[in-house]
Amino acid sequence: TRVEFLDYEAVVDYGWSLDDDELFRKAGHADLGPDAHGRLLVHPDESLLEAAERSGFAWPFSCRGGACANCAVYLAEGELSQPTDHIMPEDLAERGFRLSCNGYPLTDELSVVFNVKQRPELDDLIL
Ligand code: FES
């Protein structure tokens, strides 16, 4: 699975919105560093977080077991599995929030914003 990723810090810095259809196009035109915007590959049986780490990126995490939301990402395109045993509430999942530590790609392409743990709606989930 090919993943295009974007750091939520950049979304904040540029005043962009997560639900902007043009978000990744805007990111492509901004002068962002390789850690903030780029692409990586997820191998079979690899979680999104594991793939980011293997690719040399330091994405946030803590428990690695679906219990804290520090690893939360926003899914702009594609689908990432959500195991049954996790902390993400249904309404946030419906809005595109997922956990990268136990999220496995279900589509060949994904666009994700990582580092979304600072979003206010995730405050209560962060341990
Ligand atoms: Fe805690 Fe993913 S690191 S839920």
Side-chain angles (χ1 to χ4, degrees):
T1 294
R2 288 157 43 88
V3 179
E4 182 174 7
F5 62 84
L6 174 62
D7 190 345
Y8 185 65
E9 291 277 349
V11 176
V12 173
D13 287 351
Y14 283 82
W16 296 331
S17 164
L18 278 185
D19 53 18
D20 184 346
D21 290 342
E22 302 281 288
L23 181 58
F24 280 79
R25 195 186 59 76
K26 289 177 180 172
H29 287 99
D31 193 17
L32 300 175
D35 286 348
H37 176 241
R39 294 178 186 275
L40 59 85
L41 285 176
V42 186
H43 294 163
D45 300 325
E46 203 174 40
S47 71
L48 178 57
L49 179 62
E50 287 166 344
E53 290 173 336
R54 178 180 46 73
S55 306
F57 301 113
W59 290 11
F61 69 90
S62 178
C63 73
R64 305 186 80 95
C68 76
N70 281 288
C71 68
V73 298
Y74 173 79
L75 200 54
E77 266 185 60
E79 189 50 277
L80 197 61
S81 72
Q82 187 96 292
T84 51
D85 188 16
H86 65 81
I87 196 175
M88 188 64 72
E90 187 93 4
D91 59 321
L92 291 183
E94 268 169 25
R95 287 167 55 195
F97 291 98
R98 295 286 186 280
L99 301 172
S100 65
C101 72
N102 63 4
Y104 296 82
L106 299 173
T107 49
D108 290 339
E109 310 254 347
L110 288 180
S111 300
V112 300
V113 179
F114 71 97
N115 214 4
V116 295
K117 64 176 188 170
Q118 51 183 303
R119 294 278 303 183
E121 57 266 64
L122 296 177
D123 262 2
D124 292 347
L125 305 177
I126 306 293
L127 299 175

